[in-house]
Amino acid sequence: MATESVIGQWVRREDGERKVLGRAVYAGDLRVPNLLHARLVLSPYPHATITRVDTEAAKAVPGVVGVYTAEDLPLVPPDGLTRSRDPLARDRVFFEGQPVVAVVAESEAIAEDAAGLVEIDYEPREALSDPVAAMENTHVQVHDSEALGLRDDAGAHTSVSEHTQQLPMPPNGTTAERYQRGDIDRGFAEADAVVEHTYNTSWVYQGYLEPFSVVAIPDNAGNIDVHSSTQGAFFVREEVAKGLGISERRVNVRTAEVGGAFGAKYAVFDPLVAALAWDTKRPVHLTLTRTEDFLAGVPAPGITMRVKTGARKDGTLTALQATIIVDTGSFPGGTAGIVALLLGGTYRFPHMRIDAYEILTNKPGCGAYRAPGAPQACFAIEGQIEELARTFGLDPFEMRLKNAVVEGDSMPGEETWPRIGSREVLEALRNHPAWQNRHQKGPGEGVGIAFGGWPGGTQPASALCRLNDDGTLTVVVGSSDISGTRSGFALLAADAFGVGYDAVEVADAPTDTAPFAGAAGGSKITFTVGSAVRQAAEEARRQVLAIAADELEAAPDDLEIVDGQVRVKGVPSSAVSLERIAALTTGFGSKHGPILGSGRAAPDDAAPGFIAHLARVRVDDETGKVEVLDYVAVQDVGRAINPAGIVGQIRGGVAQGVGWALLESVVYDESAHLRTSSFMDYALPSALEVPQIDPVLVEVPYPSGPLGGRGVGEPPVVGGAAAIANAIYDATGIRPTDLPMTPERVLQALSQRSS
Amino acid sequence: MIPAAFDYAAPASLEEAMALLAGHPDDAKLIAGGHSLLPLMKLRLATPQLLVDLGKIPDLRYIEEKGDHLAIGAMTTHYQVSISEAVRRRAGLLADSAAVVGDMQVRNRGTVGGSLAHADPASDLPAAALALGAQLVARSRSGERVIAAADFFQDIWTSALEPEEILTEVRIPFQDGKAQAYEKFRQRAGDWAIVGAAVSVARRNGTIDRADVILTNVGPTPVRARAVESALQGQPVSPEVVRAAAEQAADGLDPAPELKASPDYKRHLARVLTRRALERALQIS
């Protein structure tokens, strides 16, 4: 190709400047005529029967337009338990912070005043907080099994497939599955050493800057526009349409600028706000306060993992036995399967038995948070591997390289791993100076590593590519940009078409006109939409070359696009500009159709991304405080389309990993009351807690990805807690098993070590 | 996070502010930096009818050396205190404490008077004020009184100020020659103290003449570690003396459990931080 490829150029995120300068317009910033504002009344009880709701005083406040309970909302009752389409509590509340009443008024202040006047009587009930206790509790049920839609025969011990079985459903359980392979007893009998621990990880909050925010605008023809801070416009469209009982084409979702999502923002409050707008026939705005977002958002679940691992003296793993208990809060849907996949699928275990449970408690329904389940699984399995390596006196890289999965190895279920860069990331980290120089360390310092992966996701996607009058391209997509994907699309289109990065603009279209794209989750937007964008740009290029061939009286194969012109190869004077082509396809009476390339992609396999991380820490053995001094994050990215974007993803993921490791915990007390309802109590890392980070990109191309690219968004968070825990282990000899590793916990472990 | 409705006044003089307070004895609140009050109002835990903003009163921001003491206007910010040459020279402990209050944004807006009047046991300045033997000047329309720091902090978020009184000035005796330091333990930069220790040691001929050791966030008010003080008094300055004295820092302490720290952990931190503060102040380790 004559124009030098733009792939691999470090380009800035196109949304960066406006966000940094405060010019980005978020959903909650939208002001339209006749806008109403909603405020919610939240349950102060984690579990209670509602005996009376009196909204009269609230309704009497001047400026109040409506006060809504569940019965007042024009929403179609969902079949099962679906929080988003049944957004206000009915006769019972299941978690502290569950919305019970919505007040709509001419201003937010009026709505807030009126919300304070709503009277609700509750009869408190016993609340379940500990999932391990909940799965043995036969007298308190978060939901009865009828509401859950569980079949009576769910208790049977049934085989789903060769390696997967249903287990008897425990009380308050929604998932009970066994993954097994080989003969677990034989596996442990063959082991020279066995390690066994119970790991507990905390609930964590996604910590996006922008809380949940929605504006819904109905028209007078039965349509509704929804401006939402969401990862998935088409998913919001589906939820709102189902909720209102109208066709999806009546709902037009615009993904406003998203101020962080990290897995939380699919469609939680959209049907509620749409229903309020539908009923009042006016635009309605709702933005949660931070405290409401902590109470009524969708934080990620706490997970308990009992893990036992055996290995031979030479480091060969023989067996893994694990029980996973995911606390899903008061709504079903958790990550036990992913935890099982990564606990049992990161290394080759000839003999394995993993029991995975999802258990209901009286907490908000859990949501996803960047690589849901993976940081937790990595924390547990990497702790085991590290301990086994030390037991045998083996180099930690040798131990991992000997057992790490490669292409063709089995996952815990029926699947096998496709082409992955597992060994490549380990080799790259082993050669890094931070590992080579690990023995040069000051007092209290330690170095730890972690290895892990993320399976990735896939979903069909499409895109359009148009030629503009000035010779630039507009790429149209329907995906939400939560991570800089627009910049990657521009590079992919520029490369495929043959123009510079600056000549491509990416437009996020609303759902009524956008080409379909799935939600931005599973590290799949560049992977799926990117392929469609590339195809669309290639098609646009073919159309342009065909017209130019006509104009220049040359064969399309003899043409090239250079510096904004289509010219005959080797004859620069024989050329036609892209502006001219555009004019020839749009002018009155023109004989050529407008340039419009389209692309469709449905990759049948997700592209896993593997990582190897290293942390250097200093432990204050008098206070237990851990400081992360240095960090290396190696990642297989397939093909680095925009290295600047990837490095940004890595830095952000590592920062979150530091938070998970040392600081962050959504704390519920034994009655399931929330103790951390602000950023004062919920500690996110600040810039001063985040270490120097060295991102290292390894490229093991993935065949069906765009130019070999893999999803890069989620893997960077996977190794944080594990690497830091192993570094603490190296520094002190203590084996952390609970997240976060707070100063007090570390100090307790240190004092037990010395006693 | 929308406060209940309130009236707002920004008087241009202290006299005007005192008149406003006298007219609203039960339902007015003074606002300085606002870091503590505004969050409470947004949560509707505080619902004053009238906010009296002291920010427009020009003569409450100053740091002056007067005879035997430093006089600091109540509206002087933590940042101004932390960089003041006079404070560093005359009352090093105050500069040391003010430099670790909150984060840069808080220090640029938060005030010495506001922090002391709020009487939060987790704040850094109350412990320093006690260790420095500060005198706090309160004015109202009925006159002026001077309250010793030791009498000022009465309970959690409760000071000796009467509703119509305004804290106008903090007076700190010159500390020349004393060895001082403030050690603060927190999980993150910018956080409140989990525990803090303010120490001030006067020496004569290599012997400790008097030690003031005050702990942050281990009780409803700043707590004087009397056992440490008496263990130091009359002793020579040595690592062993400091170590042994600091071991008594938690004697009699009964801190409330917090999300981030159990009472036992706080007692442990009190001992560690007291020793570290003494070691840093006395330049031994």
Side-chain angles (χ1 to χ4, degrees):
Chain A
M1 181 168 286
T3 305
E4 197 185 332
S5 172
V6 296
I7 300 300
Q9 273 187 17
W10 288 58
V11 300
R12 283 187 183 179
R13 283 178 65 151
E14 64 82 44
D15 58 343
E17 185 170 314
R18 64 177 177 271
K19 282 183 171 168
V20 169
L21 295 177
R23 290 179 187 148
V25 178
Y26 297 92
D29 295 327
L30 200 68
R31 288 296 173 267
V32 292
N34 296 317
L35 184 63
L36 295 171
H37 302 267
R39 304 295 308 145
L40 305 176
V41 182
L42 308 182
S43 167
Y45 295 101
H47 195 187
T49 306
I50 299 171
T51 55
R52 185 181 72 101
V53 179
D54 184 344
T55 59
E56 289 312 309
K59 281 177 176 157
V61 175
V64 168
V65 174
V67 181
Y68 293 83
T69 64
E71 283 70 28
D72 308 321
L73 292 176
L75 287 173
V76 178
D79 287 339
L81 284 170
T82 305
R83 190 178 148 198
S84 68
R85 283 188 271 124
D86 199 10
L88 299 179
R90 292 179 182 276
D91 50 353
R92 208 167 135 193
V93 290
F94 300 101
F95 66 94
E96 183 189 15
Q98 186 169 3
V100 181
V101 169
V103 179
V104 181
E106 299 288 347
S107 78
E108 250 181 324
I110 293 170
E112 176 108 355
D113 288 347
L117 298 174
V118 173
E119 290 178 33
I120 305 172
D121 292 343
Y122 299 92
E123 263 172 28
R125 301 162 73 130
E126 186 178 341
L128 299 177
S129 183
D130 175 7
V132 178
M135 66 193 289
E136 287 164 9
N137 192 324
T138 49
H139 69 279
V140 182
Q141 279 189 310
V142 177
H143 296 288
D144 55 38
S145 50
E146 192 184 330
L148 285 170
L150 293 176
R151 299 198 323 267
D152 287 343
D153 61 355
H157 211 100
T158 52
S159 192
V160 174
S161 61
E162 189 189 348
H163 297 296
T164 316
Q165 277 185 354
Q166 289 292 343
L167 294 173
M169 191 64 76
N172 292 297
T174 56
T175 294
E177 283 176 342
R178 169 168 291 179
Y179 302 87
Q180 66 179 353
R181 181 192 305 150
D183 175 348
I184 190 73
D185 295 330
R186 198 182 123 200
F188 284 115
E190 288 174 357
D192 294 313
V194 172
V195 295
E196 183 173 9
H197 292 291
T198 298
Y199 301 87
N200 293 294
T201 71
S202 56
W203 280 70
V204 279
Y205 173 70
Q206 295 87 352
Y208 33 75
L209 286 179
E210 178 200 22
F212 277 102
S213 191
V214 189
V215 175
I217 308 170
D219 67 8
N220 51 17
N223 304 300
I224 187 162
D225 265 22
V226 179
H227 297 249
S228 180
S229 177
T230 180
Q231 298 171 235
F234 284 92
F235 184 65
V236 169
R237 180 177 72 160
E238 182 184 336
E239 286 290 295
V240 169
K242 279 183 182 163
L244 294 177
I246 58 178
S247 160
E248 284 189 21
R249 71 191 153 78
R250 295 284 182 199
V251 181
N252 185 29
V253 180
R254 296 169 195 271
T255 56
E257 204 85 63
V258 179
F262 307 110
K265 293 179 180 172
Y266 284 88
V268 182
F269 295 93
D270 306 272
L272 169 64
V273 180
L276 298 173
W278 203 247
D279 195 70
T280 57
K281 300 183 171 56
R282 287 176 62 179
V284 175
H285 157 239
L286 171 70
T287 297
L288 296 194
T289 68
R290 184 62 64 182
T291 293
E292 289 169 342
D293 211 283
F294 272 108
L295 282 162
V298 287
I303 302 178
T304 295
M305 294 161 286
R306 301 184 195 117
V307 188
K308 181 178 171 187
T309 311
R312 290 205 195 91
K313 273 199 289 272
D314 67 355
T316 308
L317 293 169
T318 59
L320 171 77
Q321 185 176 345
T323 301
I324 298 161
I325 299 163
V326 176
D327 178 358
T328 69
S330 51
F331 288 85
T335 55
I338 301 178
V339 178
L341 190 157
L342 294 170
L343 262 187
T346 306
Y347 296 99
R348 282 188 299 269
F349 289 103
H351 307 285
M352 171 194 304
R353 183 198 290 159
I354 303 174
D355 293 347
Y357 295 97
E358 292 177 358
I359 305 296
L360 295 166
T361 57
N362 291 105
K363 300 170 189 169
C366 69
Y369 180 178
R370 201 169 187 169
Q376 297 95 329
C378 186
F379 172 63
I381 195 67
E382 285 301 279
Q384 302 258 302
I385 298 295
E386 191 71 26
E387 204 169 328
L388 285 167
R390 279 176 192 264
T391 304
F392 298 129
L394 293 171
D395 175 88
F397 280 99
E398 283 306 322
M399 178 87 194
R400 286 171 174 84
L401 283 163
K402 192 182 212 45
N403 296 286
V405 289
V406 295
E407 183 175 1
D409 282 333
S410 296
M411 301 182 193
E414 313 310 312
E415 314 258 312
T416 57
W417 287 104
R419 181 79 181 95
I420 49 176
S422 50
R423 298 183 66 89
E424 288 84 350
V425 294
L426 281 166
E427 300 281 7
L429 185 61
R430 183 162 63 174
N431 295 328
H432 193 281
W435 177 254
Q436 295 298 325
N437 301 329
R438 66 191 175 280
H439 298 301
Q440 299 165 16
K441 55 188 175 192
E445 289 183 19
V447 173
I449 63 165
F451 166 68
W454 176 247
T458 184
Q459 192 172 3
S462 49
L464 297 173
C465 180
R466 237 169 49 186
L467 178 67
N468 299 315
D469 67 321
D470 58 358
T472 62
L473 301 177
T474 296
V475 167
V476 187
V477 295
S479 52
S480 181
D481 185 359
I482 59 168
S483 57
T485 47
R486 281 179 288 224
S487 301
F489 296 156
L491 287 169
L492 286 166
D495 179 66
F497 187 88
V499 290
Y501 169 72
D502 292 340
V504 184
E505 186 172 290
V506 179
D508 304 335
T511 56
D512 57 357
T513 51
F516 178 85
S523 300
K524 69 176 184 317
I525 291 302
T526 303
F527 179 64
T528 59
V529 183
S531 290
V533 165
R534 201 166 164 79
Q535 278 181 33
E538 282 166 354
E539 190 186 344
R541 177 186 167 92
R542 283 194 298 274
Q543 292 171 4
V544 164
L545 293 185
I547 295 166
D550 201 33
E551 289 293 307
L552 300 171
E553 297 182 349
D557 286 351
D558 293 335
L559 300 178
E560 59 184 359
I561 301 179
V562 180
D563 296 336
Q565 291 194 318
V566 188
R567 64 189 195 193
V568 179
K569 285 176 193 164
V571 192
S573 58
S574 184
V576 56
S577 69
L578 291 172
E579 288 97 320
R580 174 77 186 143
I581 302 273
L584 287 172
T585 60
T586 54
F588 203 80
S590 294
K591 61 176 178 175
H592 302 290
I595 304 301
L596 181 67
S598 67
R600 302 156 68 219
D604 55 3
D605 227 352
F610 273 74
I611 56 100
H613 285 190
L614 175 147
R616 174 185 287 264
V617 304
R618 185 191 300 130
V619 182
D620 180 338
D621 64 2
E622 283 192 313
T623 63
K625 187 167 171 170
V626 177
E627 193 182 350
V628 186
L629 305 172
D630 205 1
Y631 204 99
V632 182
V634 182
Q635 183 170 336
D636 170 23
V637 302
R639 175 82 184 268
I641 292 160
N642 175 16
I646 298 173
V647 163
Q649 286 278 30
I650 290 177
R651 291 188 192 285
V654 170
Q656 289 175 324
V658 169
W660 284 57
L662 300 177
L663 297 166
E664 296 183 40
S665 177
V666 182
V667 179
Y668 298 92
D669 69 14
E670 62 278 12
S671 319
H673 280 288
L674 178 67
R675 298 279 312 276
T676 48
S677 59
S678 79
F679 280 135
M680 200 169 91
D681 296 319
Y682 186 84
L684 286 173
S686 76
L688 294 170
E689 279 73 47
V690 177
Q692 285 294 323
I693 300 163
D694 184 15
V696 178
L697 310 187
V698 169
E699 296 182 305
V700 179
Y702 194 71
S704 58
L707 301 173
R710 297 170 187 267
V712 300
E714 287 165 302
V717 80
V718 174
I724 291 169
N726 284 339
I728 294 171
Y729 186 28
D730 184 50
T732 64
I734 64 166
R735 180 62 264 164
T737 54
D738 289 356
L739 295 182
M741 298 172 277
T742 58
E744 184 165 5
R745 280 183 177 156
V746 171
L747 190 72
Q748 271 168 0
L750 286 169
S751 62
Q752 281 160 12
R753 175 199 62 177
S754 42
S755 64
Chain B
M1 293 295 270
I2 299 171
F6 59 89
D7 291 324
Y8 172 83
S13 71
L14 196 55
E15 287 65 32
E16 208 186 319
M18 292 189 294
L20 281 164
L21 270 194
H24 295 79
D26 302 322
D27 56 6
K29 274 276 183 194
L30 295 174
I31 183 164
H35 285 112
S36 303
L37 180 58
L38 289 182
L40 292 173
M41 289 173 63
K42 286 181 172 181
L43 292 168
R44 301 199 174 194
L45 294 173
T47 52
Q49 295 295 305
L50 173 67
L51 270 196
V52 180
D53 188 344
L54 299 178
K56 297 284 194 293
I57 302 175
D59 46 3
L60 288 177
R61 287 175 200 267
Y62 54 86
I63 298 170
E64 289 168 8
E65 294 178 72
K66 283 188 177 166
D68 61 350
H69 68 275
L70 270 179
I72 301 174
M75 289 295 286
T76 310
T77 65
H78 303 304
Y79 175 70
Q80 289 169 323
V81 167
S82 71
I83 60 158
S84 159
E85 184 49 41
V87 177
R88 292 234 157 255
R89 198 171 61 242
R90 296 298 198 181
L93 176 60
L94 187 66
D96 211 26
S97 313
V100 294
V101 171
D103 56 20
M104 181 61 86
Q105 289 87 334
V106 169
R107 293 194 291 275
N108 271 326
R109 183 124 190 109
T111 66
V112 171
S115 176
L116 294 172
H118 189 54
D120 188 325
S123 288
D124 305 298
L125 295 194
L130 247 72
L132 292 163
Q135 302 279 322
L136 310 181
V137 181
R139 286 185 59 186
S140 69
R141 286 212 299 191
S142 24
E144 178 182 299
R145 64 184 181 122
V146 179
I147 310 165
D151 302 322
F152 187 78
F153 304 103
Q154 300 197 329
D155 204 342
I156 184 165
W157 300 316
T158 308
S159 76
L161 288 173
E162 297 297 330
E164 70 275 16
E165 282 182 319
I166 299 176
L167 176 61
T168 57
E169 184 177 284
V170 181
R171 293 175 186 161
I172 297 170
F174 290 155
Q175 308 283 312
D176 302 35
K178 289 186 182 173
Q180 301 185 324
Y182 183 63
E183 280 286 326
K184 176 176 185 175
F185 184 79
R186 46 187 169 180
Q187 221 181 344
R188 296 178 300 171
D191 272 348
W192 297 92
I194 293 176
V195 176
V199 303
S200 173
V201 181
R203 290 157 296 183
R204 199 183 323 178
N205 306 325
T207 300
I208 295 170
D209 206 25
R210 175 196 165 101
D212 288 278
V213 179
I214 316 291
L215 300 170
T216 295
N217 204 28
V218 290
T221 64
V223 175
R224 186 175 284 278
R226 292 191 193 281
V228 181
E229 292 176 350
S230 39
L232 291 169
Q233 191 163 10
Q235 298 297 311
V237 173
S238 79
E240 295 72 30
V241 164
V242 163
R243 193 168 282 275
E247 274 307 303
Q248 302 178 49
D251 290 6
L253 282 190
D254 185 21
E258 277 185 66
L259 212 50
K260 289 174 183 167
S262 69
D264 274 346
Y265 185 54
K266 284 188 164 190
R267 281 190 281 264
H268 170 81
L269 287 175
R271 289 187 285 264
V272 172
L273 297 177
T274 298
R275 196 198 76 235
R276 288 183 178 181
L278 287 166
E279 285 174 349
R280 183 154 64 84
L282 296 163
Q283 296 176 315
I284 54 177
S285 59

